[in-house]
Amino acid sequence: MKLFEPLDIGGTLIRNRIMVPAMVTRLSGEDGFVNQDITNRYVRYAQGGAGLIVIEAMAVHHAKAGPLLRISDDRFIPGLAGLAQCIHDTSDSKVVPQIIHFMKVSKSGWRQTIDMLSNAEIDRIVEEFGDAVARAREAKFDGAELHSAHAYTLASFLSRTNPRKDEYGGETLEGRLRLISRIFENIRRKVGKDFPVGVRFLADEFIKDGYTVNDAKLIGLRLAQLGAAYLSLSVGGKFEDAIHLPGQVPYPYTGYSGDRCMPGDWYPAVPHAHFSAEIKAFVKAHGFNTPVATAGKISDPDDAERLLSTGAVDIIGIARGLLADPDWPHKVRQNERERIVKCDYCNVCKHLDGAHMKVVCALWPQGALQAPPDDRQSPAPGWDTTGANLTVSASDGKAVLKWNKATGAARYDVCRTDPLGKVEVMDAVKVTRWEDHNLLAGMPYCYQIRAFGAAGQGGASSNMVTVRLPVLDSEIVRFF
Amino acid sequence: MKLFEPLDIGGTLIRNRIMVPAMVTRLSGEDGFVNQDITNRYVRYAQGGAGLIVIEAMAVHHAKAGPLLRISDDRFIPGLAGLAQCIHDTSDSKVVPQIIHFMKVSKSGWRQTIDMLSNAEIDRIVEEFGDAVARAREAKFDGAELHSAHAYTLASFLSRTNPRKDEYGGETLEGRLRLISRIFENIRRKVGKDFPVGVRFLADEFIKDGYTVNDAKLIGLRLAQLGAAYLSLSVGGKFEDAIHLPGQVPYPYTGYSGDRCMPGDWYPAVPHAHFSAEIKAFVKAHGFNTPVATAGKISDPDDAERLLSTGAVDIIGIARGLLADPDWPHKVRQNERERIVKCDYCNVCKHLDGAHMKVVCALWPQGALQAPPDDRQSPAPGWDTTGANLTVSASDGKAVLKWNKATGAARYDVCRTDPLGKVEVMDAVKVTRWEDHNLLAGMPYCYQIRAFGAAGQGGASSNMVTVRLPVLDSEIVRFF
């Protein structure tokens, strides 16, 4: 599989094309130092075999924030070096920190915007990013990633809504690109050209008047010209459409752009990779082979492989899917796809982040702070002699499924066969009840439940049941 | 070309695949009666040769609104019949009215939502739609189109944000589909099965928690089952993200979903047709050959032809492009593409609607209420002996173009050749100055201006000029 071919990113070789994109964990203390919980989280990804692990955003500056890693001072280097060391000791996964600058936000809903920054403050940001990358190198990371996506400072400069009237905005693309260009130049001066520095930025802002892939192609080209080790694309996640809840700091993933950034279960799979493909094609047409990473509701290995084998992108970012199961890479490589703990895009992880709580996966065992080990000894779950006894009833426009508990089950996958014979895993649940609200009356849908153990070991499948919702108004059925 | 092949829609043959989607004109009086201006607008489309003309939304009920056509009472039939007659007398374009029910909105920003409707009120809506279609038939329209898109009543029932707890919502797809299903059943009872009734609905709501193409596929299938003559897809245009300006009635095209509904010049071309293609493929896989129409920033004939010849869709909706030039169909058919007055997606038309002003195209001659006639006699515009004298200067991250006035010019197209040699019409302007804010420093861009007459007759091209923006920081250029 192309998925397991190595790739050179700015002089560093990653062993496969699977990337853990930066995901906030809320596991650090407010002091910003690396701790054991964070170390365990990232070591777990290294055990699972991801080619590139991007450590959650760490601040290049000292601004107040909740639990957030820091790289804003030399005193953070030993902790970061320890983290990098632990990951390197675990496997040959490469690891880079995502480094971030953000503006102030307050519980009143007020937020500092980039037009409030003086030129001296901008100069300081340039220095802060350069110093942070130098620290990342000193801590023996394999590179660094500039966070120029979502709601944060660098993305706000790149934004089509950049309100500055001076040479850092001025309604021109070049103005919007000036800060990131200066930052790159300063990084090169401070740490040289041989330390890989990737950039994460938005393929589409998904806000009113925001930029589209048209601008993203030009931004990507400029970053390639500047020598970016890779381009990692995300979308949305802006403050502009955030919903402010009284007494809470605005959270940039609450609006529509937040829906797009972490598309939930009602979105189709792989909704954004075509943007990355367009950007890659554009950059390549201009003579740059800068690797391009995509992300967003990708977890089917076939989808990932298709994106790589067609040359659409070079690296597959899997955030929620790898949170659910860090062993995804090993399981795919060893042809054990059935053992993958499949993310159901319930977004409990996102909501935990929004509530400033420790980010875990709802599919992990209750109370677990990390994904369970890849246990190959425990028996697969199964139903006892009474069987699964899956039943379905149809009423009020929905189908209600119920089944028996299986011994040793950590979760149940709900599989549905639609009227055309297409089989789909609709959801993954811990309880023994599930409702289907998205079916058409008068047509047959077939369901089956499968029980899984905590490490993904697949157990027995239930009996199959079929349901056909009654047509609400008898007159309508005549026209079917 | 497939574009000019006829198509059967529910028993009516349209002569080609070009559709004028419903576009508000604000030309009617507040009385809701057809007048001469409206008649002229639609006769102009018939002259141009569109296969199917959808008359702007007319209300099925008596609720107060600004200038808006009505089909809510038999007294409107003579006027509507006259309009249909005028169109049929002009050409063999087919014509259907779009019929709409909307909820109340107030200048305070308050708006009535569908959870405020009693069951008796819902029953009345069912009757109103049935009666309106009967009137459309009596007025000798070729069919009717239910407006189940954007911010209006039917779309609010279909919405994933439908707040009703009863059988018209209840968080189930079947609940959301119940009203439109009842309406179809009632229409069939009132006007029979042989009068074509199409439906316009959303392929994607583009609002927080809104539905995506996943639901749209099922909605499309249900509408096909109900016997819809065609499915016409739009996106966005919701009240949920509308920006309320003090003292003004909310306008559902002011938010992000409004950006998507009528994508402006910063959007890529044809940003939404892939949704229509997915919906068509799904409906077809279930055994229905219901024609599917798409729309949204399509105006290049090659784009339109590709969508048809690949079987992605069956009908090409062109709204702003046909407003700018109703003769687009004839000009494409006669291989006179260069004479098309090309929409530049400036969205002045949209802003006029938002301001409740008569909707015209900014590319029409100053003060014109209709597109100019397809004048083939007037000479093409040209520069006098001093020439165009196109000049370009580069500063502050932008290129500024200036040129001389051409005799008889109604507009100038600005053509840009990018560093890869790709030629693009960047804008169409009436003035002799244009700024390019979207280019990368250090790379060569080449410009040429072409003057056009009011009916699209192409005149002389200017000299060509090339510009290369200086790189802002001399240090950066080293890394290019």
Side-chain angles (χ1 to χ4, degrees):
Chain A
M1 291 179 84
K2 185 95 178 161
L3 199 51
F4 295 100
E5 289 180 11
L7 179 73
D8 179 281
I9 53 165
T12 290
L13 201 72
I14 56 173
R15 63 170 157 173
N16 62 47
R17 307 305 183 87
I18 304 158
M19 176 179 81
V20 183
M23 268 181 286
V24 63
T25 62
R26 303 270 183 203
L27 292 177
S28 76
E30 305 239 350
D31 60 6
F33 284 97
V34 170
N35 61 21
Q36 194 58 48
D37 287 341
I38 285 212
T39 304
N40 292 347
R41 174 69 54 95
Y42 291 100
V43 163
R44 190 70 190 76
Y45 292 123
Q47 288 168 347
L52 180 62
I53 299 169
V54 183
I55 305 285
E56 63 195 281
M58 49 190 77
V60 302
H61 60 324
H62 295 287
K64 215 185 116 198
L68 181 81
L69 288 178
R70 303 277 170 173
I71 193 167
S72 50
D73 193 281
D74 287 353
R75 67 198 156 97
F76 296 108
I77 296 176
L80 294 168
L83 174 59
Q85 183 73 49
C86 282
I87 291 166
H88 288 141
D89 287 347
T90 303
S91 76
D92 54 2
S93 296
K94 301 296 182 187
V95 57
V96 303
Q98 187 182 61
I99 60 175
I100 187 173
H101 188 281
F102 51 86
M103 312 288 286
K104 295 171 194 159
V105 288
S106 100
K107 289 183 177 173
S108 70
W110 174 87
R111 59 186 178 85
Q112 187 189 20
T113 49
I114 58 164
D115 50 328
M116 302 174 192
L117 291 173
S118 69
N119 278 22
E121 287 171 308
I122 289 176
D123 289 345
R124 192 160 71 212
I125 292 170
V126 172
E127 293 308 317
E128 285 165 338
F129 271 102
D131 294 341
V133 173
R135 286 181 201 113
R137 174 162 221 169
E138 202 175 327
K140 301 266 196 312
F141 283 109
D142 300 297
E145 176 179 295
L146 307 186
H147 194 346
S148 191
H150 310 151
Y152 312 109
T153 309
L154 298 190
S156 299
F157 276 86
L158 289 183
S159 178
R160 198 165 165 273
T161 67
N162 174 329
R164 293 186 68 98
K165 304 290 177 216
D166 64 355
E167 67 266 36
Y168 291 96
E171 296 184 345
T172 71
L173 183 65
E174 269 300 331
R176 289 151 53 195
L177 282 164
R178 188 168 200 206
L179 175 57
I180 190 99
S181 301
R182 283 196 60 203
I183 286 173
F184 248 98
E185 186 276 323
N186 189 44
I187 289 170
R188 292 307 171 206
R189 189 160 37 206
K190 279 195 163 137
V191 300
K193 289 181 77 170
D194 60 336
F195 189 66
V197 178
V199 186
R200 194 161 211 218
F201 69 105
L202 296 177
D204 193 313
E205 296 193 88
F206 279 110
I207 52 169
K208 179 174 168 60
D209 297 325
Y211 75 71
T212 67
V213 70
N214 285 0
D215 283 8
K217 290 194 280 193
L218 293 163
I219 294 168
L221 175 55
R222 166 56 55 85
L223 294 171
Q225 291 171 326
L226 290 166
Y230 62 85
L231 308 176
S232 174
L233 279 314
S234 184
V235 302
K238 306 294 289 180
F239 274 125
E240 280 76 359
D241 66 354
I243 292 161
H244 181 235
L245 298 174
Q248 291 189 24
V249 166
Y251 178 65
Y253 306 98
T254 43
Y256 178 71
S257 72
D259 270 10
R260 296 303 301 226
C261 188
M262 287 169 268
D265 53 12
W266 70 101
Y267 273 81
V270 201
H272 302 130
H274 60 290
F275 294 131
S276 310
E278 271 196 70
I279 293 162
K280 177 174 168 60
F282 184 81
V283 171
K284 197 173 174 183
H286 284 83
F288 291 89
N289 280 314
T290 314
V292 171
T294 193
K297 218 175 165 179
I298 309 175
S299 64
D300 181 330
D302 290 334
D303 285 336
E305 183 65 14
R306 183 179 39 78
L307 289 169
L308 294 170
S309 61
T310 57
V313 299
D314 305 288
I315 302 170
I316 305 294
I318 304 177
R320 292 168 294 176
L322 285 173
L323 181 71
D325 193 346
D327 296 314
W328 191 99
H330 279 333
K331 288 174 178 174
V332 172
R333 179 153 211 176
Q334 291 160 11
N335 211 12
E336 299 184 308
R337 296 184 187 192
E338 285 222 325
R339 295 184 68 248
I340 293 171
V341 180
K342 283 183 279 289
C343 175
D344 61 353
Y345 301 102
C346 70
N347 271 343
V348 162
C349 51
K350 171 181 165 172
H351 293 294
L352 287 169
D353 173 34
H356 300 189
M357 293 168 70
K358 291 178 180 181
V359 175
V360 297
C361 175
L363 294 176
W364 294 349
Q366 194 66 37
L369 205 59
Q370 308 293 349
D374 188 8
D375 175 3
R376 284 153 189 277
Q377 307 308 320
S378 298
W383 281 281
D384 64 22
T385 49
T386 61
N389 194 26
L390 173 63
T391 61
V392 63
S393 61
S395 64
D396 302 334
K398 66 192 179 205
V400 180
L401 307 179
K402 290 178 188 170
W403 60 91
N404 289 339
K405 268 193 175 175
T407 309
R411 79 174 206 274
Y412 305 91
D413 274 7
V414 181
C415 299
R416 185 179 89 175
T417 309
D418 78 6
L420 289 182
K422 186 184 162 205
V423 183
E424 208 177 341
V425 176
M426 302 298 289
D427 205 354
V429 292
K430 288 178 170 173
V431 294
T432 57
R433 185 180 193 284
W434 190 75
E435 294 189 355
D436 194 345
H437 292 205
N438 274 67
L439 27 75
L440 287 181
M443 304 182 75
Y445 293 85
C446 179
Y447 299 90
Q448 189 171 36
I449 303 298
R450 190 164 180 209
F452 286 84
Q457 61 273 42
S461 287
S462 76
N463 54 306
M464 293 177 84
V465 292
T466 298
V467 75
R468 196 188 288 257
L469 280 188
V471 175
L472 287 178
D473 299 88
S474 60
E475 297 90 341
I476 294 171
V477 80
R478 286 185 292 129
F479 299 101
F480 277 22
Chain B
M1 287 179 88
K2 184 95 180 164
L3 198 51
F4 295 100
E5 289 181 12
L7 178 74
D8 180 280
I9 54 165
T12 290
L13 202 70
I14 56 173
R15 64 170 154 171
N16 62 44
R17 309 303 184 85
I18 304 159
M19 176 178 83
V20 183
M23 266 181 288
V24 66
T25 62
R26 303 266 182 207
L27 292 175
S28 76
E30 303 238 351
D31 59 6
F33 285 96
V34 169
N35 61 21
Q36 195 57 48
D37 287 340
I38 284 213
T39 304
N40 292 348
R41 174 69 53 98
Y42 291 100
V43 163
R44 189 68 190 80
Y45 292 123
Q47 290 167 347
L52 180 63
I53 299 169
V54 184
I55 305 284
E56 64 193 280
M58 47 190 77
V60 301
H61 60 323
H62 294 287
K64 214 184 115 196
L68 181 80
L69 287 178
R70 303 277 172 174
I71 192 167
S72 51
D73 192 282
D74 287 353
R75 68 198 157 95
F76 296 107
I77 296 176
L80 293 168
L83 174 60
Q85 184 72 50
C86 282
I87 290 165
H88 289 140
D89 287 348
T90 303
S91 76
D92 54 2
S93 295
K94 301 296 182 187
V95 58
V96 303
Q98 186 182 62
I99 60 176
I100 187 173
H101 187 281
F102 50 85
M103 313 289 287
K104 294 171 194 157
V105 287
S106 102
K107 289 183 179 173
S108 70
W110 173 88
R111 62 187 176 87
Q112 187 189 21
T113 49
I114 58 163
D115 49 328
M116 301 174 192
L117 291 173
S118 69
N119 278 22
E121 286 171 309
I122 289 176
D123 289 345
R124 193 159 75 214
I125 292 170
V126 171
E127 294 308 317
E128 285 165 340
F129 271 101
D131 293 342
V133 174
R135 287 183 199 109
R137 175 162 219 166
E138 204 174 325
K140 299 266 197 308
F141 282 109
D142 300 297
E145 175 178 297
L146 308 185
H147 193 346
S148 192
H150 309 151
Y152 313 109
T153 309
L154 298 190
S156 299
F157 276 86
L158 289 184
S159 177
R160 196 165 168 274
T161 67
N162 175 327
R164 292 185 70 96
K165 303 290 177 216
D166 65 355
E167 66 268 35
Y168 291 97
E171 297 185 343
T172 72
L173 183 65
E174 269 301 331
R176 289 151 51 194
L177 283 163
R178 190 168 197 204
L179 176 57
I180 190 98
S181 300
R182 283 194 61 202
I183 286 173
F184 248 99
E185 187 276 322
N186 189 46
I187 289 170
R188 292 308 171 204
R189 189 159 38 204
K190 277 193 165 136
V191 300
K193 289 182 75 169
D194 60 335
F195 188 66
V197 178
V199 186
R200 192 161 213 220
F201 69 104
L202 296 177
D204 193 313
E205 297 193 85
F206 278 111
I207 51 169
K208 179 175 168 59
D209 297 326
Y211 76 68
T212 66
V213 71
N214 284 358
D215 283 8
K217 290 195 279 191
L218 293 163
I219 294 168
L221 175 55
R222 166 57 54 84
L223 294 170
Q225 291 171 327
L226 291 165
Y230 62 84
L231 309 176
S232 175
L233 279 313
S234 184
V235 302
K238 306 295 289 180
F239 274 126
E240 280 75 0
D241 66 355
I243 291 159
H244 181 237
L245 297 175
Q248 291 191 26
V249 166
Y251 179 65
Y253 306 98
T254 42
Y256 178 72
S257 71
D259 270 9
R260 295 304 299 226
C261 189
M262 287 168 268
D265 55 12
W266 70 101
Y267 273 81
V270 202
H272 302 131
H274 62 288
F275 295 132
S276 311
E278 270 195 71
I279 293 163
K280 177 172 169 62
F282 184 80
V283 170
K284 197 173 176 187
H286 285 84
F288 292 88
N289 280 313
T290 314
V292 171
T294 194
K297 216 173 166 179
I298 308 175
S299 63
D300 181 330
D302 291 333
D303 285 336
E305 183 65 14
R306 184 178 38 80
L307 289 170
L308 295 169
S309 62
T310 57
V313 299
D314 306 288
I315 303 169
I316 304 296
I318 304 178
R320 292 168 292 177
L322 285 171
L323 181 73
D325 192 345
D327 297 314
W328 191 98
H330 278 334
K331 288 175 178 173
V332 173
R333 178 155 211 172
Q334 291 160 13
N335 212 9
E336 298 183 309
R337 296 184 187 190
E338 286 222 324
R339 294 185 69 248
I340 292 170
V341 181
K342 283 181 281 291
C343 174
D344 62 352
Y345 301 101
C346 71
N347 272 341
V348 162
C349 51
K350 171 182 167 173
H351 293 295
L352 288 168
D353 173 34
H356 301 189
M357 294 169 72
K358 292 178 181 182
V359 175
V360 297
C361 175
L363 294 175
W364 295 348
Q366 194 67 36
L369 205 57
Q370 308 293 349
D374 187 8
D375 175 4
R376 283 155 188 279
Q377 308 308 319
S378 298
W383 280 283
D384 64 20
T385 49
T386 61
N389 194 25
L390 173 64
T391 60
V392 61
S393 61
S395 62
D396 301 334
K398 65 193 179 204
V400 180
L401 307 178
K402 291 179 188 170
W403 60 93
N404 288 341
K405 268 193 174 178
T407 309
R411 78 172 205 276
Y412 304 91
D413 275 6
V414 181
C415 299
R416 186 181 87 176
T417 309
D418 77 6
L420 289 182
K422 186 183 162 205
V423 183
E424 210 176 339
V425 177
M426 302 299 289
D427 205 352
V429 293
K430 288 177 168 173
V431 294
T432 56
R433 185 181 193 282
W434 191 75
E435 294 190 355
D436 194 345
H437 292 204
N438 275 67
L439 27 74
L440 287 181
M443 303 180 75
Y445 293 85
C446 178
Y447 300 88
Q448 188 172 35
I449 303 297
R450 191 166 180 208
F452 287 85
Q457 61 274 41
S461 287
S462 75
N463 55 309
M464 293 176 84
V465 293
T466 297
V467 74
R468 195 188 289 257
L469 280 190
V471 176
L472 288 178
D473 299 271
S474 58
E475 296 89 343
I476 294 172
V477 80
R478 286 187 289 130
F479 300 102
F480 278 20

